[in-house]
């Protein structure tokens, strides 16, 4: 298993390093839409942010990613880019500020923060998950807000409420087969699955702290994650499988010591191409050699980046244990 993890880590980070120009919104060959360009740049910034915290060395690939993020964050047009879609403008402004590398404290994008409204930074109109996301990035960015404390957010979060709802439904409707261990039915919907993974990231700051769940809630969440991971591995849903392995780390579990965590790493290693990329979120959405370079990148970059971050977390967790 160590060889699978080593190959995943080295290959994905090398591939991302060779394709940094595609993350640059102002370089030829990047994503076409403003939203797509902003999203790709912010995802690279998240990887860089977590990588910098986990890597005490001076990996040149990390240095190159940091230099690109710094240049993009200081670009005079970046403010327009992150606010181009009104639906995401407030969220992207907070993420941008939260993930900014050193040397961007006076960059033009920071003016957007002054334009955030009280509703942008309050619980008003937001689901419990959205409130958690807002608080996480606002706290990291140093932006005042009125979102409730983490203790209250935990109790209302899907990591607690979803396992409880599923257990209640199982008692009321025994034998309906929903989410069975044979993997025949999805335990939860795809949006619910991503809410679970991202909630674990925010509550634990990507594995840096305990997520704040009670022992019972933690056990229930871990059980649901195991069932979700089994379902994803059986169907080769690479992107979600990688996120669920990260969720195991965030819940204090050592994935490589669990059957389905180890199976997920093996599944991702089997999907990895010789150049290091994970070609898509699943076989159905995979890039092919016939795709133009920009199309290939658009299909492959997200899952490759998520797998790289998963690998970094696993390597760091192994060092700490």
């Amino acid at each position: 298993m160590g060889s699978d993890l080593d190959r995943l880590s080295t290959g994905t980070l090398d591939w991302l390093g060779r394709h940094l120009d595609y993350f640059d919104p102002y370089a030829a060959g990047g994503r076409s839409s403003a939203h797509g360009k902003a999203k790709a740049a912010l995802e690279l910034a998240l990887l860089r942010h977590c990588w910098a915290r986990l890597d005490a060395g001076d990996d040149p690939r990390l240095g190159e990613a940091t230099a690109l993020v710094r240049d993009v964050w200081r670009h005079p047009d970046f403010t327009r880019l992150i606010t181009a879609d009104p639906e995401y403008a407030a969220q992207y402004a907070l993420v941008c500020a939260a993930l900014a590398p050193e040397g961007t404290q006076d960059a033009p994008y920071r003016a957007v923060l002054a334009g955030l409204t009280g509703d942008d930074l309050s619980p008003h109109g937001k689901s419990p998950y959205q409130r958690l996301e807002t608080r996480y990035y606002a706290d990291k960015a140093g932006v005042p807000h009125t979102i409730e404390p983490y203790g209250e957010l935990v109790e209302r979060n899907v990591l607690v409420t979803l396992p409880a709802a599923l257990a209640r439904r199982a008692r009321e409707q025994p034998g309906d087969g929903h989410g069975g261990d044979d993997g025949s039915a999805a335990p939860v919907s795809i949006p619910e699955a991503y809410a679970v993974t991202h909630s674990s990231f925010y509550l634990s700051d990507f594995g840096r702290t305990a997520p704040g769940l009670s022992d019972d809630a933690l056990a229930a969440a871990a059980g649901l994650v195991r069932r979700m991971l089994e379902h994803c591995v059986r169907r080769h849903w690479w992107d979600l499988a990688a996120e669920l392995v990260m969720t195991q780390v965030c819940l204090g579990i050592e994935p490589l010591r669990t059957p389905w965590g180890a199976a997920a790493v093996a599944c991702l290693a089997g999907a990895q191409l010789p150049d290091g990329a994970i070609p898509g979120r699943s076989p159905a959405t995979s890039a092919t050699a016939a795709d133009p370079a920009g199309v290939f990148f658009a299909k492959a970059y997200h899952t490759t980046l998520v797998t790289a971050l998963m690998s970094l977390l696993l390597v760091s967790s192994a060092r700490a244990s």
Side-chain angles (χ1 to χ4, degrees):
M1 186 56 62
S3 61
D4 282 347
L5 181 57
D6 291 343
R7 187 167 64 255
L8 280 173
S9 179
T10 300
T12 54
L13 290 171
D14 283 350
W15 187 88
L16 293 167
R18 291 193 303 271
H19 293 80
L20 282 180
D21 283 352
Y22 285 94
F23 287 98
D24 185 348
Y26 310 106
R31 302 294 294 270
S32 56
S33 70
H35 176 74
K37 291 177 178 180
K39 183 175 183 293
L42 291 171
E43 289 192 32
L44 178 64
L46 175 62
L47 173 66
R48 188 221 70 85
H49 176 79
C50 293
W51 190 0
R53 299 189 312 186
L54 295 169
D55 193 327
D58 53 355
D59 191 320
R61 298 171 301 183
L62 174 58
E64 291 167 0
T66 298
L68 174 59
V69 172
R70 184 179 295 114
D71 287 346
V72 171
W73 262 231
R74 294 193 63 84
H75 196 285
D77 182 62
F78 195 49
T79 295
R80 180 198 62 79
L81 199 64
I82 62 174
T83 58
D85 188 333
E87 181 180 355
Y88 294 95
Q91 175 193 357
Y92 278 14
L94 287 175
V95 176
C96 180
L99 303 179
E102 292 183 5
T104 61
Q105 290 84 349
D106 59 345
Y109 78 84
R110 294 199 66 86
V112 179
L113 298 175
L116 295 178
T117 67
D119 280 351
D120 292 330
L121 298 164
S122 79
H124 179 70
K126 296 180 178 65
S127 68
Y129 168 75
Q130 290 170 328
R131 299 202 295 275
L132 171 62
E133 182 178 48
T134 298
R135 170 149 204 152
Y136 176 75
Y137 284 113
D139 283 352
K140 193 173 284 290
V143 175
H145 59 80
T146 58
I147 305 294
E148 60 264 51
Y150 276 108
E152 296 178 29
L153 289 170
V154 168
E155 293 305 312
R156 298 166 184 165
N157 186 261
V158 292
L159 281 169
V160 173
T161 61
L162 190 55
L166 292 173
R168 184 167 57 252
R169 182 168 64 192
R171 291 193 298 270
E172 295 170 352
Q173 302 173 4
D176 68 358
H178 186 79
D181 285 343
D182 63 356
S184 60
V188 297
S189 70
I190 296 297
E192 287 172 330
Y194 280 110
V196 165
T197 61
H198 289 208
S199 292
S200 77
F201 304 159
Y202 301 149
L203 287 171
S204 71
D205 194 11
F206 287 85
R208 296 193 89 193
T209 65
L213 277 66
S214 69
D215 290 345
D216 287 346
L218 188 62
L224 176 59
V225 169
R226 182 200 62 77
R227 292 164 59 200
M228 292 162 57
L229 191 51
E230 175 182 357
H231 189 80
C232 291
V233 170
R234 289 182 183 276
R235 284 154 184 77
H236 295 269
W237 290 353
W238 303 316
D239 177 66
L240 190 47
E243 290 204 10
L244 287 165
V245 171
M246 291 168 58
T247 294
Q248 287 188 310
V249 174
C250 293
L251 295 179
I253 299 165
E254 296 184 45
L256 296 181
R257 296 188 179 182
T258 69
W260 289 105
V265 171
C267 178
L268 288 161
Q272 188 174 35
L273 300 179
D275 67 358
I278 309 297
R281 292 176 182 264
S282 68
T285 61
S286 289
T288 70
D291 288 327
V295 173
F296 189 103
F297 175 83
K299 292 180 178 180
Y301 91 86
H302 174 79
T303 305
T304 303
L305 188 149
V306 169
T307 302
L309 181 52
M310 177 207 77
S311 301
L312 289 169
L313 288 179
L314 283 178
V315 170
S316 176
S317 177
R319 288 174 183 162
S321 62

